[in-house]
Structures are given as C-alpha cells and as structure tokens.
Amino acid sequence: MKEARMYYENDADLSLLKGKTIAVLGYGSQGHAHALNLKDSGLNVIVAQRPGGDNYKKAIEDGWKPVSVAEAVKQVDWVHILLPDEVQKKVWEEDIKPNIKKDVILSFAHGFNIRFKQIIPTPDLDVIMIAPKGPGHLVRRQYEEGKGVPCLIAVEQNASGKAKDFALAYAKGIGGTRGGVLETTFAEETETDLFGEQVVLCGGLVELINSGFETLVAAGYQPEIAYFECLHEVKLIVDLIFEGGFGKMNYSVSDTAEYGEYVSGKRIITDSTREAMKKVLADIQSGKFANNWLEENRTGRPFFKKERKDVSERTVEKVGARLRSKMSWIKK
C-alpha cells in the first residue's frame, strides 16, 4: 500500500493570502475557529452571520462586525462556506451566486454540495476544500497552543492554476499544516465522511451501545451497571485506540478482555453486518442518501424529529443523565 503524502508548514506559503480578503460564512463551531485563526495569522477576514441567535452574539463578543452573506461576498476575494449542508444551495442561489466576483476562490469544509451537484460554480472560480479533522473548538484551542488539527484539502476547479497552493495556504492559516495535511477529492471526502458517520461514529456506535445496554437490562441486570459497562467505558477505550491504535488498547486492558475481543467481536460484526455496510456505502455513492436528506429538510424533517425524540427517551439516556449529574468532573 502506497503511503499518502502529508504536507506540513514548509509546504505552504501563507504569503499567497496576503492582500486577499476572506469571507467566512457562518460563525458556528468551525466558523468561529476558522475566522479567529485566520485573523491571528495576520489575514483579512469578514464574518457573515445572520442577526439573532447565539452564533451572532458570539461573533459580536469576539470582536467581529457580522454582515449579511450578500454584503460579505461582494467585498471579498475568497468565499469560505461553513453553513449547514442543507441550507447551502439556497444561500448559494440567493446570496452568493448573484454577488460573487469573477476569479474569486470558493471553498468548503465538506464536499456534500459539490459532490451531489447542489452547487454548480461557474468555471472562472477556483473551487477547493479545507476540512479540519476535528471539531471547531479543538481547531481553535490547538491553534492557540501552537499546535494544529490535521486537515484534508481538495481541488475541484483550478481556474487560477494555483488552487492547491491556495488550499495549503489556507490550511496553514488555520493551523492545519502544524498537524499535517492530506490531499483528497471532494467525492472521496464526502463519501468516506458520510460512511464513517453512519456506519461507525454515530449510527453504528449509538445502536451498538444501546443494544448492549438493553440486552443486559432485559437479562435482569441493574441499568446503572449496564450503563457503565456499555456506555461510560467507551470513552476510555476510544481514547486508548486514538492514542496508539488497537495495539495500545489491547496492551492496556486485561488479557481476559483481549481474549473476549477475539472470540466475540466477529460474532457481533458478521458478514451480514458487512453486507449492510456495503449497502449504506452504495446509497451514499448513488446520491440516494443525499436526496433523502434534502427531501427530509424540504418536508419539515418529520422522520428526523421523530427519531431524535425517540433516542432522547431511551432508558440509557435517562439513566445516563441521572448518573452524569453526579459526576462533577465531567460537568464542564
């Protein structure tokens, strides 16, 4: 297997962005981190955030003078979209496309709207992606500590001939080249990101935890004990894997636990599970998932709202809330 190239500080030229004004659209988790990091890197930044709400108040508190998307786009050389996937097409059609200047750089932190052709940029624009592999608060904190969260970059359109260089420069501006930058494509980033969320990180993990919890409770064990065994300790195991892979985790747990992994793990994740994973991936690749999600938003999110309510009412959530209320060390 060929090792992918990683790009670091010396591979990126921040001076490419000097004299450019960058509009950060949206001041949420990623938006606040990008805007502040770019500013602290000596770059010119404008924040676009609609009035009202916590994000607008946060932008004001952080010293910005937020403007509308349309107003921001008219002024800048670079438009970076950090809005929710499901609203980007509308904002593009109504506020960005009518106001964006020729030869501007258009960038994203996730490839959803380009991959599924919700946004079709004009050919004169550089279209790139800079996607930190961590939440916004971590992107900001790591930058302030002189470190950085690794990033993915991608080039969809290279009108200027310098799109990749611009992507690396932006990644350096938010601290990404301190942690390392990996080149990908809009399609690869989008499809693998959605797959990871659905099969492992969110969909798979939530259902695995809940199913384990319910199995123990149905067998007559105390819900509190089931909570600790099936949910609470997940963080401890994930931290070990994060720090040193499966090897460090197995080294750190008991030999009994490691033996249990070998004899039972494949009884849970079976060939049928892998077939289901392939079907999930096929739905992502074909655009079926994207179309369903966009339709869900157009119809007021009935399925989404019902499922969110059902998850909040699960026994594991109620038991967990009660136990966590007494864990002073995690209240922050």
Side-chain angles (χ1 to χ4, degrees):
M1 183 184 296
K2 184 179 178 181
E3 185 176 340
R5 179 182 174 183
M6 296 291 289
Y7 297 87
Y8 295 97
E9 292 281 82
N10 291 337
D11 297 310
D13 183 4
L14 196 62
S15 69
L16 289 172
L17 307 187
K18 299 295 183 182
K20 293 187 181 296
T21 301
I22 302 169
V24 173
L25 310 188
Y27 204 72
S29 174
Q30 288 291 336
H32 95 281
H34 287 231
L36 291 170
N37 290 4
L38 291 171
K39 184 180 76 170
D40 288 349
S41 291
L43 302 175
N44 298 321
V45 180
I46 293 175
V47 168
Q49 176 63 47
R50 63 183 178 184
D54 293 338
N55 291 345
Y56 186 82
K57 293 175 184 176
K58 174 67 174 168
I60 297 290
E61 290 170 2
D62 288 346
W64 301 101
K65 296 179 180 177
V67 298
S68 69
V69 169
E71 186 178 347
V73 170
K74 290 175 183 177
Q75 303 178 50
V76 300
D77 312 289
W78 188 312
V79 175
H80 191 55
I81 302 178
L82 289 167
L83 301 167
D85 292 331
E86 64 273 15
V87 306
Q88 286 187 21
K89 179 180 180 180
K90 184 174 187 293
V91 175
W92 165 259
E93 294 292 344
E94 295 180 0
D95 300 311
I96 302 175
K97 188 176 179 181
N99 295 296
I100 196 167
K101 297 183 293 186
K102 285 194 67 175
D103 304 324
V104 164
I105 300 164
L106 178 67
S107 61
F108 301 79
H110 179 42
F112 185 97
N113 278 274
I114 294 295
R115 165 62 181 84
F116 297 115
K117 302 188 185 311
Q118 297 301 297
I119 292 175
I120 302 177
T122 53
D124 61 293
L125 305 176
D126 280 349
V127 180
I128 61 179
M129 176 171 58
I130 308 96
K133 299 314 293 176
H137 70 272
L138 186 62
V139 174
R140 179 58 179 161
R141 188 172 74 236
Q142 290 285 88
Y143 180 94
E144 291 179 307
E145 293 175 359
K147 296 177 281 190
V149 171
C151 289
L152 301 180
I153 61 166
V155 175
E156 183 74 10
Q157 289 185 184
N158 187 17
S160 69
K162 298 179 180 178
K164 181 178 176 179
D165 294 332
F166 286 139
L168 284 168
Y170 187 106
K172 185 170 186 173
I174 61 173
T177 48
R178 299 172 184 173
V181 174
L182 181 66
E183 189 173 9
T184 183
T185 64
F186 273 69
E188 183 178 57
E189 185 276 337
T190 303
E191 292 165 14
T192 56
D193 185 73
L194 294 175
F195 178 83
E197 290 167 351
Q198 293 174 38
V199 169
V200 181
L201 305 176
C202 302
L205 184 59
V206 167
E207 290 306 314
L208 182 65
I209 290 170
N210 189 60
S211 295
F213 173 87
E214 289 184 342
T215 298
L216 286 178
V217 172
Y221 297 101
Q222 296 179 70
E224 293 80 5
I225 299 297
Y227 174 85
F228 279 114
E229 296 301 335
C230 296
L231 190 153
H232 181 81
E233 292 191 29
V234 168
K235 182 184 185 316
L236 310 179
I237 296 299
V238 169
D239 283 348
L240 290 169
I241 295 172
F242 178 84
E243 291 166 9
F246 299 143
K248 179 168 183 176
M249 183 272 287
N250 283 331
Y251 173 80
S252 302
V253 301
S254 69
D255 288 352
T256 305
E258 185 178 354
Y259 177 71
E261 170 192 334
Y262 301 146
V263 299
S264 297
K266 291 176 183 176
R267 296 167 66 188
I268 305 303
I269 305 301
T270 64
D271 288 342
S272 294
T273 312
R274 290 185 174 84
E275 285 303 312
M277 289 180 177
K278 291 177 182 177
K279 290 178 182 177
V280 169
L281 181 57
D283 284 350
I284 291 168
Q285 293 170 326
S286 70
K288 181 179 178 180
F289 168 79
N291 290 335
N292 288 347
W293 173 229
L294 295 169
E295 180 62 23
E296 179 74 11
N297 281 278
R298 281 191 286 270
T299 56
R301 298 187 170 189
F303 172 80
F304 181 90
K305 291 174 182 176
K306 177 184 179 299
E307 291 298 306
R308 176 181 277 178
K309 182 174 183 293
D310 289 348
V311 168
S312 71
E313 293 176 350
R314 288 177 175 177
T315 304
V316 67
E317 282 288 84
K318 295 175 182 177
V319 172
R322 188 174 73 249
L323 291 174
R324 289 190 298 271
S325 71
K326 303 181 186 303
M327 299 177 189
S328 59
W329 67 93
I330 64 169
K331 285 186 179 178
K332 181 180 178 182

